[in-house]
Amino acid sequence: MSGVGQNRRGAWRAALACMVTLAVAMGLGRFAFTPMLPIMLHEGKLQLEAGGVLASLNYLGYFLGAVSCAAIGVKAKSMVRGGLAATAVLLIGMGVLHSFTSWGILRTAAGVMSAWVFVFASGWGLRRLAETNSPALAGVIYTGPGIGIAMTGLLGGALGRWGSEAGWIGLGVLAVVLVALIWRIFDDGDLPAASGSTAAPPAAAGPAASASARSDAIWLVALYGLAGFGYIITATFLPVIARQALPGSPWPDFFWPLFGLAIIPGALIGARAPVHWDNRLLLAVAYALQALGVVLSVAWPTITGFALGSLLLGMPFTAITLFAMRDARRLRGNAAAGLIGYATASYGVGQIIGPLFAAPLAQRTGSFQLPLLVAAAALALGSVLFALVWFRSRRRQAF
């Protein structure tokens, strides 16, 4: 029993450490810009279009970091620690440096670090859970981005009352504290994967099945990019959009942390979705929920509308990633790394395009209404196409 208890404690240590890791790398390092942007706009340090460029540079960094992971041979714990330390420094740098060029470099580097930490911490954490026979705790790991986003929303706005410099530096100091708390846990070792761990089955063999798997893989990569484009406009500009719709209201600063809090139950529920449920149908439902969340901010620009929209956009956020990665493993089994890389790159391209499309258009028209409707249409299209791919697969199996 002591061995079982020790394994359980080790699993929780690993899951919580990775949860905090993703909170720092994703919630703070990647998404702190969202609550800080309206403060920088108010101070006159940025124009909206320039803010869109900085956001896209961060997503470009994430894209570059994601596609470079396969070529990196450094141990996971070293990549995680290095990326976390760099994230804290880059956050503080946003408050210390004051030129647009330096901000662009810092945000690009922060994107690279967030991708590296996400990939290597996920791999380290999921392996540790397999070693301790606790795969169900994967959902705990992926609550991290939501927790980090909620922290940036609540603390960023509060710290920003003393200016954007204080906001950035304060979030950087918070990152230092959180990293110090989990630093030693990544010394738990680089053990080989447990021999009894269950591997995903490889895709079915045979010419017909192979052609079907290739087609499904192409659809997965293409449609996953629509998710990146569809959510990112709201995720980048939500406080700005809400302030435009609700001038003088104290509520706009709370919709972003609400988005983050909604991610937490979504991650836990998504991780427990039965493996026999079809991932494409799950993705279709998740895309439809996000599309509805985006539409609500346009059709019902009230406190209630923004609150419901934030919840509907946030809950499927991490679940979409989980379902997409699970479908990649369905198609490629243990050789899914390449397909996951292509899908992540497609998602990254969507994220890069979103702010570059939305910010100039919103600055010219004075409203985010049209960009948000285009984003909702992209998510709705992805939902319909995933449902059609699923339906076509069911018909093919029937015959």
Side-chain angles (χ1 to χ4, degrees):
M1 290 295 292
S2 62
V4 174
Q6 186 175 3
N7 275 350
R8 191 66 177 168
R9 285 193 298 272
W12 273 103
R13 272 170 58 87
L16 292 173
C18 289
M19 179 192 76
V20 174
T21 294
L22 297 189
V24 172
M26 306 290 287
L28 275 69
R30 189 164 170 225
F31 286 117
F33 186 69
T34 298
M36 297 308 299
L37 176 59
I39 299 169
M40 298 176 78
L41 292 172
H42 179 72
E43 293 173 339
K45 294 179 178 177
L46 283 176
Q47 296 297 316
L48 185 58
E49 191 167 352
V53 171
L54 286 181
S56 288
L57 285 174
N58 182 254
Y59 307 140
L60 173 62
Y62 186 82
F63 169 82
L64 295 174
V67 298
S68 67
C69 284
I72 297 174
V74 180
K75 285 185 176 181
K77 66 178 183 181
S78 299
M79 289 297 297
V80 171
R81 284 173 164 175
L84 288 174
T87 296
V89 171
L90 293 167
L91 285 168
I92 294 171
M94 287 294 294
V96 173
L97 302 177
H98 301 100
S99 72
F100 182 82
T101 301
S102 63
W103 289 337
I105 294 170
L106 291 171
R107 296 309 296 156
T108 304
V112 174
M113 294 303 118
S114 64
W116 285 353
V117 172
F118 180 82
V119 171
F120 284 96
S122 294
W124 183 90
L126 294 175
R127 177 178 53 78
R128 293 293 287 150
L129 295 185
E131 292 164 359
T132 52
N133 296 315
S134 303
L137 292 181
V140 174
I141 293 176
Y142 293 107
T143 63
I147 293 170
I149 287 171
M151 286 192 298
T152 63
L154 293 172
L155 296 178
L159 292 169
R161 293 175 184 174
W162 287 278
S164 58
E165 293 93 343
W168 284 112
I169 293 171
L171 291 172
V173 171
L174 174 62
V176 170
V177 173
L178 293 174
V179 171
L181 290 175
I182 61 170
W183 189 268
R184 290 175 60 85
I185 295 177
F186 290 97
D187 278 331
D188 279 0
D190 290 307
L191 304 178
S195 58
S197 60
T198 303
S210 178
S212 172
R214 281 197 298 271
S215 174
D216 283 354
I218 292 170
W219 279 111
L220 176 63
V221 170
L223 298 184
Y224 197 45
L226 292 178
F229 175 83
Y231 95 94
I232 201 61
I233 295 174
T234 305
T236 302
F237 300 109
L238 179 57
V240 177
I241 296 167
R243 288 186 183 197
Q244 286 182 352
L246 303 170
S249 171
W251 284 97
D253 290 337
F254 292 99
F255 298 129
W256 177 243
L258 183 61
F259 168 82
L261 291 173
I263 292 173
I264 298 171
L268 296 173
I269 295 168
R272 292 184 175 275
V275 293
H276 64 272
W277 288 7
D278 195 286
N279 301 304
R280 294 160 296 186
L281 195 56
L282 292 171
L283 285 164
V285 173
Y287 277 41
L289 289 174
Q290 284 203 320
L292 179 58
V294 174
V295 167
L296 279 175
S297 63
V298 177
W300 197 10
T302 64
I303 294 171
T304 304
F306 277 112
L308 288 175
S310 299
L311 290 172
L312 289 173
L313 191 69
M315 282 195 69
F317 177 69
T318 304
I320 285 173
T321 298
L322 290 172
F323 299 150
M325 299 306 101
R326 202 168 76 172
D327 204 49
R329 287 183 61 78
R330 174 185 69 86
L331 294 168
R332 299 288 171 82
N334 287 331
L339 179 55
I340 290 173
Y342 287 126
T344 302
S346 174
Y347 192 85
V349 170
Q351 290 183 130
I352 294 166
I353 294 172
L356 291 178
F357 161 75
L361 187 57
Q363 187 159 318
R364 284 197 298 271
T365 63
S367 170
F368 279 90
Q369 186 172 23
L370 181 57
L372 288 173
L373 289 175
V374 172
L379 288 165
L381 176 64
S383 176
V384 171
L385 291 176
F386 264 127
L388 288 175
V389 171
W390 168 78
F391 181 72
R392 185 189 65 179
S393 174
R394 294 270 295 182
R395 288 193 62 186
R396 189 167 55 233
Q397 292 172 3
F399 292 102

